[in-house]
Amino acid sequence: MLRCSALLALACAACSHEDPPPPIDVPMGYTGPVKLTVENHATGGVVTSNPPGIQCPKTCDAEFNVGTKVHLTLDNTSDMYFLAVFSNPCVKSDDFSCDVTLTGPADVGVEGAQEVR
């Protein structure tokens, strides 16, 4: 592994030749809680979950049991966006929502797409 100087401390990750850590797996048969984290990049939009627990930007992470299907929705009551863009592992279910079935901890990014006028 290369050593980074103090001047390059912020870029240290870029000069490291180590493999990234493996994904976090849960033991087989585990059905307890895991964390779902939402990164809301939709300015002015609120992302909520069903079952309840996420209401981001106020509450952007919550614990749900392994195997739970969580439905995430970007509230578009302000009509700022014409659709929402969700990152993996969330599977889009309509223009403003997606579903993720938790098999372990998960992170989902959300952005709102605006019309160009």
Side-chain angles (χ1 to χ4, degrees), residues 5-69:
S5 70
L7 296 174
L8 298 175
L10 293 176
C12 190
C15 68
S16 172
H17 292 300
E18 290 183 9
D19 290 332
I24 298 172
D25 291 324
V26 296
M28 190 166 182
Y30 178 77
T31 58
V34 292
K35 185 187 280 188
L36 172 61
T37 302
V38 171
E39 293 180 28
N40 183 358
H41 301 286
T43 304
V46 177
V47 178
T48 58
S49 68
N50 186 13
I54 304 258
Q55 189 169 1
C56 191
K58 288 184 179 181
T59 306
C60 294
D61 55 38
E63 290 189 343
F64 301 95
N65 286 338
V66 168
T68 301
K69 183 177 182 180

Side-chain angles (χ1 to χ4, degrees), residues 96-115:
F96 292 98
S97 61
C98 72
D99 297 308
V100 58
T101 300
L102 296 172
T103 58
D107 296 329
V108 175
V110 182
E111 294 192 33
Q114 294 180 320
E115 290 188 63

